[in-house]
Amino acid sequence: WVTAAQNYSILAGDIQLYPYKSKRNVVKLKSDLYTRLNKFEEAANLLYNLWSNLEDENSKDASDILSMLAAQFKRRAIMGMQNEIVNSETDRNLLVQALNLYLEAFRRNIDDFYPLINAAYLQLMLKGTSTKSGIELATYIETVWGRYKGTNHWLDLTLAQCKLLKGDYSGCANDLTEAIEYHKEALGIFDIESTM
């Protein structure tokens, strides 16, 4: 019976859910949806609950949850409660919290470049180019993951972003064009919007 229950699925729109098999992933998705609807408290509560129920705080799940929480803080700081960019009122404290969460997520899973590229952006936003810390992270990503270029679209888009952070705008544009052309079958609108 347990095996049958684990294979039981529900169709929600075009998404097939396996409630017994991927409960944590469903909760992550729900949290992400709350964040995009500017329901930050609900999103945070779900993520904190996931975090408190983790068996291994150094797992990939721990890193993912920390990155999701960081993204929620970042969106809240940049977009505000009205879902409009609030440049003059950006909440620096939330951005600092997001930066620290991204760095902690990377510390818990050093094989994932996603939290690191976000930390690089936030360091440049918070400290400018005078400290070079964001540029150093971008260079680190290129050094460690550059040899895997072409293996997946997220990596190739991230490597292009590294050039952007380092001020190589034509190199960034070339790499983005190349990545989009090379991975056009795998790319969706979410991939492009979240990178650009």
Side-chain angles (χ1 to χ4, degrees), residues 45 72 86 101 103 112 117 122 125-126 134 152 186 194 196:
N45 288 338
Q72 186 241 346
V86 289
L101 286 167
L103 291 173
D112 188 6
I117 190 67
L122 287 174
M125 286 175 66
L126 289 164
N152 78 62
S194 64
M196 307 301 171

Side-chain angles (χ1 to χ4, degrees), residues 149-166:
K149 184 176 181 178
T151 58
N152 78 62
H153 65 283
W154 283 116
L155 175 59
D156 288 358
L157 295 172
T158 299
L159 291 170
Q161 290 177 70
C162 288
K163 289 188 176 174
L164 174 70
L165 290 171
K166 294 169 64 176

Side-chain angles (χ1 to χ4, degrees), residues 48-163:
Y48 287 132
N49 192 22
L50 277 180
W51 178 255
S52 64
N53 288 313
L54 277 178
E55 294 171 11
D56 179 8
E57 291 185 4
N58 291 315
S59 67
K60 182 183 181 307
D61 271 336
S63 178
D64 288 347
I65 291 166
L66 290 171
S67 288
M68 289 181 71
L69 194 54
Q72 186 241 346
F73 282 125
K74 179 179 67 177
R75 285 189 194 109
R76 184 175 181 182
I78 294 171
M79 299 305 288
M81 299 303 280
Q82 304 304 319
N83 205 25
E84 295 176 4
I85 296 176
V86 289
N87 288 332
S88 61
E89 299 175 23
T90 300
D91 188 328
R92 291 183 64 82
N93 290 332
L94 287 174
L95 292 177
V96 169
Q97 288 178 354
L99 171 60
N100 291 334
L101 286 167
Y102 278 128
L103 291 173
E104 183 62 21
F106 177 69
R107 190 183 72 76
R108 291 171 188 268
N109 182 8
I110 60 170
D111 295 324
D112 188 6
F113 53 83
Y114 169 78
L116 211 52
I117 190 67
N118 282 284
Y121 272 111
L122 287 174
Q123 284 184 333
L124 287 172
M125 286 175 66
L126 289 164
K127 301 175 182 177
T129 55
S130 60
T131 63
K132 304 288 186 211
S133 53
I135 294 169
E136 288 171 355
L137 288 180
T139 301
Y140 178 80
I141 292 169
E142 288 177 322
T143 302
V144 173
W145 285 281
R147 64 180 171 256
Y148 302 110
K149 184 176 181 178
T151 58
N152 78 62
H153 65 283
W154 283 116
L155 175 59
D156 288 358
L157 295 172
T158 299
L159 291 170
Q161 290 177 70
C162 288
K163 289 188 176 174

